[in-house]
Amino acid sequence: AENEQPWGTPCTQLLVFVATPGCNGFPSLDSKESYKLSVSEGSLLLSADAVWGALRGLETFSQLVGRDENGTYYINKTEIVDFPRFPHRGLLLDTSRHYLPLRAILETLDVMAYNKFNVFHWHIVDDPSFPYESWTFPELSKQGAFNAMTHVYTASDVQMVIEYARLRGIRVIAEFDTPGHTLSWGPGAPGLLTPCYLGKDPSGTYGPINPILNSTYQFVTSLFQEVSTVFPDFFLHLGGDEVDFTCWKSNPKIRAFMKEMGFGEDYKKLESFYIQRLLDIISSLGKGYIVWQEVFDNEVKVRPDTIIHVWKENSTPYMEEMANVTKAGYRALLSAPWYLNHISYGQDWMVAYKVEPLGFEGVPEQKDRVIGGEACMWGEYVDVTNLAPRLW
Amino acid sequence: RYYEYMFGQPRRRKRGRRTPGARAEPELSQLQVVIQSRDPGCHSYPHLASSEAYHLTVTEPVAILKADEVWGALRGLETFSQLVHEDDYGSFLVNESEIDDFPRFAHRGILLDTSRHYLPLKSILTNLDAMAFNKFNVLHWHIVDDQSFPYQSISFPDLSDKGAYSYNHIYTPADVRLVIEYARLRGIRVIPEFDTPGHTQSWGRGQKDLLTPCYSGEQPTGSFGPVNPILNTTYDFMTKFFKEISSVFPDAYIHLGGDEVNFDCWKSNPEVKKFMKKQGFGIDYAKLESYYIQKILDIVSSYNKGYIVWQEVFDNKAQLKPDTVVQVWIGNNYAHELSSVTGAGFTAILAAPWYLDYISYGQDWKKYYSVEPLNFPGSEKQKKLLIGGEACLWGEFVDATNLTPRLWPRASAVGERLWSSRNVTNLQDAYERLTNHRCRML
């Protein structure tokens, strides 16, 4: 029995009040994440407009609870009114350069919740491997995964990720990056990729998706039909980065097409041709889209509600790019200074922390178009053995 | 433990899975290990001159691993375990082989820093396993430093009582014995480093008057500098302390540090200034540093231990016994330093190009692999004085949460450089073997 009780009446309950719960729905870009936390003698109250805010408040609450030398849990009297500055706070994981087992993804989602991240940008396939098990095109992963038995994400794996994320107020935005970064699609989808030529003969190697064939667009439509159903978020990330034109240029049928379309020697126009058709397909499926900055830089005609993802640090300084993108009326996401796979010695977190996403010249309407950013953990040198300590 | 490494948990393995009518393939049923020396060394500790050579013959039905001493057998066992591979059907195969192997350098070490961040025992032991997979044979345990003093001393319990991060961040005598024995069973020497006179802030918390009080003008500032070299009590303490260290750690060598001694505090202290005058050192504080170091070296010698010191001790011209080992760590122009050290007749260990705590993006293992330790101007005799090297993982940004992926498999590149012949330099070939080895280590 203690002579002195330094603490007030013990609180045993945190009351959570949510105005419009939506507990069975999915979080979205417009979700309200604001919350109020009120801690006073005998009363712990967390209130939010939506359940997503309650989740954020719960995380904050868990951070406020301390423990003294005697093992008593305590919390200081406090009044908190909190809401996020940016609605899109994302993390990119790359499961193509190295497969990441489900538990690594789920663990990452947990840590994202501790840090109030709300978007999991799943860069699920790329050149090195295609781990996504498609029911429309099972050959894609059968031929394209590192190992079709052990290094794939089944439909149930994907649903598990989506639900686990949802319960943490995290949106899952899948990226099926095209037309570049698609080498692993080739084996499972013969005829999809452009055959490269050495002079008059095919060299045996392949390049980006072949933009001149009708079969391409049929394939893309079917695949994205599936992807649109599997991933409930309104947005899909369509990639569009680093398209290498060399292979297209080498292919005589493509050159003929360029001539026919009057594109001259400007392969950016061919890239635009593909992307525009892709965007139309996605729109007709009722989805919105995010694309890497090249799509904007190469002057592809995109819908006004396109979100441009700024990732290049130097070709144009990224702040300038942010200004240009928002000036042109598009919403922007910032990743350029946050490529966390670029490790270096010392406290490099400080460099990331000091970034001011709105540090560019522009009118308030422009600044409003910056909806947030994403930390990227590209997988060239990352797998389950080193993901967690590298990212956090 | 090698049986498990090669075949997995013994329970998992089904026996006698031969399908009837299967082609009778040559089967290896036994690996015989023969240790030739009269005293194989199984109950002793490895040392610098231990023989690690082995001869491995793999033919049916019995493979033979021959070595002079048990340490060579350990190395050969590791090699044998790397030769065994599994086919798509779960059968274990090994190619007929004849291997005659021995290390290029006798000192192949890893430095772990348990002062900047405490490393739980498990972390250290896992690391010893990884070292054995890469034929490393020295654990350079940089056990205490400015930040914390986790070594629990029997003679001076206050050192860790007051100097460790907490009671949970301590290595008890039992912990230390465990590390030493776990290492021994893997043919790994444990060389502790008690770095003085600099890098000793944490010592001052538990040992009053050990460190030099710094002054601002006439007044002590309340902060402390390196070990106070002018007091007899300092040397009384060191005598008693190193007596304990000499008996706790069985290796023939102790690392005495001696790096990065900041003279500012000494310069500020009036007593120290008086002493400098008395000794005729003028204003050359390197002489005071040498004075201190020499006395420590004498103390340690009296316990029949050899010692290793960081290069500053040599650079600042302390009088070193001829059998001192100098560790070259400063990155600028280390080849030149190697020439100087070996030119003066001292044995050297190279660490400078292998500071693995300096992480960077991409395949930096290549630059560690490409180091050629003997690329320094010098005679044959001099080059023989370079006995090996160490990959260092300083602990400023390292603890149990990230140690293993940060150290490995990058350190494997250093391991190969120190064991294999000079002409094993092909990066593409190394890449293929390293990726395999990494998966094996996992």
Side-chain angles (χ1 to χ4, degrees):
Chain A
E2 268 71 58
N3 342 358
E4 209 191 286
Q5 288 239 316
W7 308 112
T9 342
C11 340
T12 53
Q13 247 186 18
L14 170 70
L15 283 173
V16 182
F17 173 74
V18 181
T20 319
C23 295
N24 294 326
F26 284 93
S28 72
L29 183 57
D30 314 309
S31 291
K32 293 219 183 78
E33 295 178 282
S34 54
Y35 66 92
K36 280 204 186 87
L37 191 53
S38 216
V39 176
S40 59
E41 177 116 26
S43 156
L44 305 169
L45 181 61
L46 167 58
S47 64
D49 277 335
V51 69
W52 319 115
L55 286 171
R56 305 298 167 235
L58 202 50
E59 173 58 36
T60 298
F61 179 76
S62 76
Q63 294 181 15
L64 294 173
V65 176
R67 204 170 182 196
D68 71 7
E69 326 79 67
N70 299 322
T72 310
Y73 293 98
Y74 68 88
I75 185 169
N76 286 350
K77 185 161 186 263
T78 193
E79 286 293 315
I80 294 177
V81 174
D82 195 14
F83 56 90
R85 182 181 176 200
F86 293 104
H88 182 122
R89 305 179 305 283
L91 194 78
L92 178 151
L93 284 186
D94 170 0
T95 58
S96 175
R97 275 56 182 263
H98 282 93
Y99 179 79
L100 291 175
L102 208 55
R103 70 170 197 275
I105 300 180
L106 301 184
E107 191 177 80
T108 303
L109 290 168
D110 278 330
V111 193
M112 283 172 67
Y114 303 154
N115 291 272
K116 297 189 173 73
F117 277 98
N118 64 0
V119 174
F120 170 41
H121 174 167
W122 193 348
H123 187 91
I124 186 169
V125 298
D126 202 298
D127 283 328
S129 74
F130 195 104
Y132 171 76
E133 241 182 29
S134 159
W135 74 68
T136 323
F137 299 106
E139 287 300 303
L140 283 172
S141 61
K142 261 220 200 113
Q143 309 278 349
F146 282 134
N147 180 310
M149 301 299 298
T150 56
H151 290 60
V152 288
Y153 301 107
T154 62
S156 97
D157 291 335
V158 174
Q159 287 312 307
M160 164 92 92
V161 170
I162 293 172
E163 178 62 5
Y164 200 89
R166 188 187 78 82
L167 291 171
R168 285 151 184 77
I170 297 170
R171 304 161 54 201
V172 178
I173 298 184
E175 178 184 349
F176 284 83
D177 191 352
T178 69
H181 286 282
T182 45
L183 283 180
S184 68
W185 303 45
L192 178 68
L193 303 183
T194 311
C196 311
Y197 274 67
L198 253 180
K200 283 206 284 203
D201 304 297
S203 66
T205 59
Y206 294 88
I209 286 186
N210 194 330
I212 73 176
L213 304 175
N214 283 332
S215 53
T216 292
Y217 300 99
Q218 276 157 13
F219 171 87
V220 161
T221 304
S222 303
L223 178 66
F224 278 100
Q225 225 153 28
E226 173 185 320
V227 170
S228 302
T229 350
V230 169
F231 292 93
D233 198 83
F234 175 70
F235 285 93
L236 287 176
H237 200 303
L238 303 177
D241 62 313
E242 297 181 311
V243 184
D244 183 358
F245 296 149
T246 331
C247 186
W248 282 351
K249 286 181 184 169
S250 76
N251 185 301
K253 296 210 183 79
I254 297 208
R255 284 204 300 271
F257 184 84
M258 288 287 286
K259 211 169 172 173
E260 200 190 300
M261 300 294 291
F263 288 161
E265 289 297 308
D266 190 357
Y267 282 79
K268 286 202 241 158
K269 297 206 163 97
L270 181 59
E271 183 190 18
S272 298
F273 173 81
Y274 167 83
I275 299 270
Q276 266 147 220
R277 288 185 69 169
L278 173 65
L279 299 185
D280 286 340
I281 292 169
I282 306 300
S283 293
S284 73
L285 293 169
K287 293 290 196 188
Y289 39 76
I290 310 176
V291 287
W292 294 109
Q293 69 180 74
E294 284 95 319
V295 172
F296 169 80
D297 296 342
N298 292 351
E299 285 153 24
V300 179
K301 267 205 294 272
V302 298
R303 282 159 106 100
D305 60 351
T306 312
I307 298 178
I308 309 288
H309 200 158
V310 176
W311 69 273
K312 291 183 173 185
E313 274 203 282
N314 289 319
S315 60
T316 318
Y318 67 85
M319 271 312 168
E320 219 181 280
E321 181 77 3
M322 293 293 281
N324 294 341
V325 166
T326 50
K327 189 142 180 234
Y330 300 104
R331 284 175 294 181
L333 278 177
L334 180 59
S335 280
W338 292 325
Y339 265 37
L340 304 190
N341 53 313
H342 285 157
I343 58 172
S344 57
Y345 178 70
Q347 295 197 58
D348 53 359
W349 69 273
M350 294 185 179
V351 173
Y353 192 79
K354 291 201 207 154
V355 172
E356 174 38 67
L358 302 185
F360 59 90
E361 297 262 311
V363 301
E365 289 78 33
Q366 266 177 273
K367 307 263 170 138
D368 284 342
R369 290 188 196 115
V370 178
I371 56 169
E374 294 188 354
C376 299
M377 185 48 75
W378 294 103
E380 284 85 349
Y381 302 105
V382 175
D383 68 9
V384 69
T385 65
N386 64 356
L387 173 69
R390 191 164 289 204
L391 189 49
W392 306 103
Chain B
R1 63 178 178 274
Y2 271 95
Y3 190 93
E4 259 181 55
Y5 293 154
M6 290 185 280
F7 307 115
Q9 299 297 330
R11 281 176 282 135
R12 278 205 308 132
R13 291 291 129 206
K14 293 186 279 174
R15 308 259 171 192
R17 290 199 292 115
R18 202 79 92 83
T19 43
R23 182 165 59 99
E25 283 154 323
E27 199 177 271
L28 182 68
S29 55
Q30 225 185 54
L31 170 68
Q32 252 182 31
V33 181
V34 179
I35 298 174
Q36 298 178 297
S37 168
R38 220 140 39 107
D39 176 15
C42 298
H43 299 292
S44 56
Y45 288 94
H47 53 96
L48 186 59
S50 293
S51 167
E52 294 179 283
Y54 65 91
H55 190 98
L56 182 61
T57 311
V58 181
T59 57
E60 78 153 332
V62 170
I64 305 198
L65 169 57
K66 251 197 262 193
D68 263 343
E69 295 177 3
V70 68
W71 320 114
L74 286 171
R75 304 299 167 235
L77 200 49
E78 174 57 40
T79 298
F80 180 75
S81 76
Q82 295 184 14
L83 295 174
V84 174
H85 53 280
E86 211 174 333
D87 72 6
D88 291 332
Y89 303 98
S91 303
F92 291 96
L93 306 171
V94 62
N95 286 355
E96 243 187 49
S97 331
E98 181 93 20
I99 294 176
D100 203 4
D101 195 12
F102 57 91
R104 182 180 175 201
F105 292 103
H107 183 117
R108 306 180 305 283
I110 296 281
L111 178 152
L112 285 186
D113 170 0
T114 57
S115 172
R116 274 58 179 266
H117 282 94
Y118 178 79
L119 292 176
L121 221 47
K122 180 155 167 251
S123 222
I124 300 179
L125 301 183
T126 302
N127 199 66
L128 287 168
D129 279 331
M131 285 171 65
F133 299 154
N134 292 272
K135 297 190 173 72
F136 277 97
N137 64 359
V138 174
L139 172 65
H140 173 168
W141 192 351
H142 187 92
I143 187 168
V144 299
D145 202 299
D146 282 328
Q147 284 82 350
S148 74
F149 196 105
Y151 171 76
Q152 189 169 59
S153 160
I154 309 161
S155 333
F156 300 99
D158 272 347
L159 284 172
S160 60
D161 267 359
K162 306 262 163 54
Y165 282 133
S166 86
Y167 292 125
N168 294 326
H169 293 72
I170 281 183
Y171 302 108
T172 62
D175 292 336
V176 174
R177 276 199 294 274
L178 177 52
V179 171
I180 293 172
E181 180 60 6
Y182 199 91
R184 188 187 78 82
L185 291 171
R186 286 153 183 73
I188 297 171
R189 302 162 55 199
V190 177
I191 301 182
E193 177 182 348
F194 286 90
D195 191 352
T196 68
H199 286 282
T200 44
Q201 290 295 300
S202 65
W203 300 51
R205 298 203 271 271
Q207 185 69 15
K208 222 163 74 72
D209 300 331
L210 180 67
L211 305 183
T212 314
C214 311
Y215 274 68
S216 187
E218 304 282 314
Q219 299 305 320
T221 63
S223 62
F224 298 88
V227 169
N228 195 331
I230 72 177
L231 301 176
N232 285 334
T233 49
T234 293
Y235 302 103
D236 293 338
F237 167 83
M238 291 295 173
T239 301
K240 203 161 168 212
F241 184 75
F242 278 104
K243 181 166 194 213
E244 173 184 319
I245 300 305
S246 302
S247 70
V248 168
F249 291 91
D251 197 79
Y253 286 84
I254 300 181
H255 199 303
L256 301 175
D259 61 313
E260 301 181 310
V261 183
N262 187 314
F263 296 152
D264 293 342
C265 187
W266 282 351
K267 287 182 184 166
S268 76
N269 183 303
E271 300 297 315
V272 175
K273 287 204 290 258
K274 258 192 261 181
F275 185 84
M276 287 286 286
K277 211 167 173 178
K278 201 169 113 198
Q279 295 283 325
F281 290 159
I283 49 162
D284 187 359
Y285 283 79
K287 294 207 165 97
L288 182 59
E289 184 191 20
S290 300
Y291 168 86
Y292 167 84
I293 294 274
Q294 271 150 219
K295 291 185 80 143
I296 301 299
L297 297 185
D298 286 341
I299 290 170
V300 172
S301 288
S302 73
Y303 298 124
N304 278 322
K305 294 289 192 184
Y307 35 75
I308 311 179
V309 290
W310 295 110
Q311 68 181 74
E312 286 95 318
V313 174
F314 167 81
D315 296 342
N316 294 349
K317 304 194 173 55
Q319 238 155 355
L320 302 173
K321 289 221 183 13
D323 57 351
T324 312
V325 182
V326 177
Q327 188 158 13
V328 175
W329 70 273
I330 296 179
N332 288 341
N333 213 351
Y334 64 83
H336 181 254
E337 181 74 5
L338 285 176
S339 294
S340 308
V341 169
T342 54
F346 295 106
T347 316
I349 296 175
L350 180 60
W354 291 321
Y355 265 35
L356 301 198
D357 55 319
Y358 287 151
I359 59 171
S360 58
Y361 180 68
Q363 295 197 57
D364 54 359
W365 70 272
K366 293 186 180 178
K367 94 176 160 213
Y368 303 132
Y369 191 80
S370 304
V371 171
E372 173 38 63
L374 296 186
N375 262 355
F376 65 91
S379 64
E380 276 308 299
K381 193 156 167 251
Q382 269 176 267
K383 306 235 170 162
K384 286 206 170 74
L385 291 174
L386 181 58
I387 55 169
E390 293 186 353
C392 301
L393 194 72
W394 294 103
E396 285 86 348
F397 302 105
V398 175
D399 68 10
T401 67
N402 64 355
L403 184 138
T404 306
R406 190 163 289 203
L407 186 54
W408 307 99
R410 293 191 304 145
S412 302
V414 180
E416 177 155 302
R417 179 53 49 233
L418 291 173
W419 176 283
S420 298
S421 302
R422 183 171 187 150
N423 58 6
V424 177
T425 52
N426 184 299
L427 281 171
Q428 188 49 46
D429 178 66
Y431 175 79
E432 277 152 40
R433 289 181 294 103
L434 184 58
T435 42
N436 270 346
H437 186 53
R438 177 180 179 269
C439 290
R440 193 168 38 225
M441 288 200 282
L442 289 172

